PDB file of all heavy atoms in Angstrom:
ATOM      1  N   MET B 111     -15.389  -4.139  17.425  1.00  0.00           N
ATOM      2  CA  MET B 111     -14.164  -4.762  17.900  1.00  0.00           C
ATOM      3  C   MET B 111     -13.592  -3.976  19.078  1.00  0.00           C
ATOM      4  O   MET B 111     -13.076  -4.552  20.043  1.00  0.00           O
ATOM      5  CB  MET B 111     -13.170  -4.819  16.734  1.00  0.00           C
ATOM      6  CG  MET B 111     -11.962  -5.682  16.977  1.00  0.00           C
ATOM      7  SD  MET B 111     -12.315  -7.312  17.642  1.00  0.00           S
ATOM      8  CE  MET B 111     -12.923  -8.168  16.223  1.00  0.00           C
ATOM      9  N   SER B 112     -13.699  -2.654  18.993  1.00  0.00           N
ATOM     10  CA  SER B 112     -13.216  -1.800  20.073  1.00  0.00           C
ATOM     11  C   SER B 112     -13.957  -2.129  21.376  1.00  0.00           C
ATOM     12  O   SER B 112     -13.350  -2.265  22.448  1.00  0.00           O
ATOM     13  CB  SER B 112     -13.433  -0.338  19.658  1.00  0.00           C
ATOM     14  OG  SER B 112     -13.432   0.496  20.773  1.00  0.00           O
ATOM     15  N   ILE B 113     -15.272  -2.293  21.272  1.00  0.00           N
ATOM     16  CA  ILE B 113     -16.069  -2.614  22.464  1.00  0.00           C
ATOM     17  C   ILE B 113     -15.700  -4.003  22.981  1.00  0.00           C
ATOM     18  O   ILE B 113     -15.519  -4.212  24.184  1.00  0.00           O
ATOM     19  CB  ILE B 113     -17.581  -2.540  22.119  1.00  0.00           C
ATOM     20  CG1 ILE B 113     -17.939  -1.091  21.751  1.00  0.00           C
ATOM     21  CG2 ILE B 113     -18.428  -3.030  23.291  1.00  0.00           C
ATOM     22  CD1 ILE B 113     -19.314  -0.931  21.136  1.00  0.00           C
ATOM     23  N   VAL B 114     -15.531  -4.944  22.063  1.00  0.00           N
ATOM     24  CA  VAL B 114     -15.155  -6.310  22.453  1.00  0.00           C
ATOM     25  C   VAL B 114     -13.848  -6.287  23.239  1.00  0.00           C
ATOM     26  O   VAL B 114     -13.742  -6.880  24.321  1.00  0.00           O
ATOM     27  CB  VAL B 114     -15.013  -7.215  21.206  1.00  0.00           C
ATOM     28  CG1 VAL B 114     -14.333  -8.535  21.573  1.00  0.00           C
ATOM     29  CG2 VAL B 114     -16.369  -7.473  20.576  1.00  0.00           C
ATOM     30  N   LEU B 115     -12.857  -5.571  22.720  1.00  0.00           N
ATOM     31  CA  LEU B 115     -11.543  -5.573  23.358  1.00  0.00           C
ATOM     32  C   LEU B 115     -11.596  -4.945  24.746  1.00  0.00           C
ATOM     33  O   LEU B 115     -11.047  -5.490  25.710  1.00  0.00           O
ATOM     34  CB  LEU B 115     -10.515  -4.836  22.488  1.00  0.00           C
ATOM     35  CG  LEU B 115     -10.144  -5.504  21.166  1.00  0.00           C
ATOM     36  CD1 LEU B 115      -9.154  -4.647  20.400  1.00  0.00           C
ATOM     37  CD2 LEU B 115      -9.571  -6.896  21.400  1.00  0.00           C
ATOM     38  N   SER B 116     -12.268  -3.790  24.860  1.00  0.00           N
ATOM     39  CA  SER B 116     -12.249  -3.146  26.172  1.00  0.00           C
ATOM     40  C   SER B 116     -13.078  -3.958  27.169  1.00  0.00           C
ATOM     41  O   SER B 116     -12.702  -4.088  28.339  1.00  0.00           O
ATOM     42  CB  SER B 116     -12.682  -1.685  26.085  1.00  0.00           C
ATOM     43  OG  SER B 116     -14.027  -1.593  25.734  1.00  0.00           O
ATOM     44  N   ASN B 117     -14.177  -4.558  26.698  1.00  0.00           N
ATOM     45  CA  ASN B 117     -14.949  -5.407  27.608  1.00  0.00           C
ATOM     46  C   ASN B 117     -14.179  -6.661  28.007  1.00  0.00           C
ATOM     47  O   ASN B 117     -14.238  -7.102  29.154  1.00  0.00           O
ATOM     48  CB  ASN B 117     -16.286  -5.821  26.964  1.00  0.00           C
ATOM     49  CG  ASN B 117     -17.288  -4.683  26.998  1.00  0.00           C
ATOM     50  OD1 ASN B 117     -16.948  -3.569  27.398  1.00  0.00           O
ATOM     51  ND2 ASN B 117     -18.501  -4.932  26.575  1.00  0.00           N
ATOM     52  N   PHE B 118     -13.456  -7.199  27.064  1.00  0.00           N
ATOM     53  CA  PHE B 118     -12.662  -8.393  27.344  1.00  0.00           C
ATOM     54  C   PHE B 118     -11.654  -8.109  28.451  1.00  0.00           C
ATOM     55  O   PHE B 118     -11.518  -8.878  29.407  1.00  0.00           O
ATOM     56  CB  PHE B 118     -11.967  -8.843  26.062  1.00  0.00           C
ATOM     57  CG  PHE B 118     -10.925  -9.901  26.266  1.00  0.00           C
ATOM     58  CD1 PHE B 118     -11.283 -11.186  26.641  1.00  0.00           C
ATOM     59  CD2 PHE B 118      -9.576  -9.608  26.097  1.00  0.00           C
ATOM     60  CE1 PHE B 118     -10.319 -12.166  26.830  1.00  0.00           C
ATOM     61  CE2 PHE B 118      -8.605 -10.572  26.287  1.00  0.00           C
ATOM     62  CZ  PHE B 118      -8.976 -11.860  26.663  1.00  0.00           C
ATOM     63  N   ILE B 119     -10.984  -6.974  28.359  1.00  0.00           N
ATOM     64  CA  ILE B 119     -10.003  -6.631  29.381  1.00  0.00           C
ATOM     65  C   ILE B 119     -10.700  -6.295  30.702  1.00  0.00           C
ATOM     66  O   ILE B 119     -10.245  -6.675  31.781  1.00  0.00           O
ATOM     67  CB  ILE B 119      -9.109  -5.453  28.910  1.00  0.00           C
ATOM     68  CG1 ILE B 119      -8.269  -5.880  27.707  1.00  0.00           C
ATOM     69  CG2 ILE B 119      -8.209  -4.966  30.034  1.00  0.00           C
ATOM     70  CD1 ILE B 119      -7.267  -6.998  28.003  1.00  0.00           C
ATOM     71  N   GLN B 120     -11.854  -5.635  30.588  1.00  0.00           N
ATOM     72  CA  GLN B 120     -12.604  -5.301  31.823  1.00  0.00           C
ATOM     73  C   GLN B 120     -12.990  -6.579  32.571  1.00  0.00           C
ATOM     74  O   GLN B 120     -12.850  -6.669  33.779  1.00  0.00           O
ATOM     75  CB  GLN B 120     -13.857  -4.508  31.452  1.00  0.00           C
ATOM     76  CG  GLN B 120     -14.619  -4.015  32.672  1.00  0.00           C
ATOM     77  CD  GLN B 120     -15.848  -3.218  32.282  1.00  0.00           C
ATOM     78  OE1 GLN B 120     -16.232  -3.186  31.116  1.00  0.00           O
ATOM     79  NE2 GLN B 120     -16.445  -2.560  33.255  1.00  0.00           N
ATOM     80  N   VAL B 121     -13.427  -7.575  31.803  1.00  0.00           N
ATOM     81  CA  VAL B 121     -13.867  -8.821  32.429  1.00  0.00           C
ATOM     82  C   VAL B 121     -12.678  -9.623  32.960  1.00  0.00           C
ATOM     83  O   VAL B 121     -12.701 -10.130  34.083  1.00  0.00           O
ATOM     84  CB  VAL B 121     -14.682  -9.665  31.422  1.00  0.00           C
ATOM     85  CG1 VAL B 121     -14.902 -11.081  31.958  1.00  0.00           C
ATOM     86  CG2 VAL B 121     -16.010  -8.988  31.141  1.00  0.00           C
ATOM     87  N   THR B 122     -11.621  -9.715  32.152  1.00  0.00           N
ATOM     88  CA  THR B 122     -10.527 -10.586  32.567  1.00  0.00           C
ATOM     89  C   THR B 122      -9.579  -9.917  33.551  1.00  0.00           C
ATOM     90  O   THR B 122      -8.970 -10.584  34.380  1.00  0.00           O
ATOM     91  CB  THR B 122      -9.711 -11.077  31.358  1.00  0.00           C
ATOM     92  OG1 THR B 122      -9.275  -9.938  30.619  1.00  0.00           O
ATOM     93  CG2 THR B 122     -10.525 -11.982  30.467  1.00  0.00           C
ATOM     94  N   GLN B 123      -9.419  -8.605  33.459  1.00  0.00           N
ATOM     95  CA  GLN B 123      -8.452  -7.923  34.314  1.00  0.00           C
ATOM     96  C   GLN B 123      -9.121  -7.075  35.396  1.00  0.00           C
ATOM     97  O   GLN B 123      -8.427  -6.518  36.248  1.00  0.00           O
ATOM     98  CB  GLN B 123      -7.539  -7.007  33.481  1.00  0.00           C
ATOM     99  CG  GLN B 123      -6.775  -7.725  32.376  1.00  0.00           C
ATOM    100  CD  GLN B 123      -5.763  -8.691  32.948  1.00  0.00           C
ATOM    101  OE1 GLN B 123      -5.105  -8.416  33.948  1.00  0.00           O
ATOM    102  NE2 GLN B 123      -5.656  -9.865  32.338  1.00  0.00           N
TER     103      GLN B 123
END
Side-chain angles (χ1 to χ4, degrees):
Chain B
M111 192 48 76
S112 160
I113 295 169
V114 168
L115 292 178
S116 67
N117 283 6
F118 169 69
I119 295 296
Q120 185 179 10
V121 168
T122 55
Q123 302 293 321

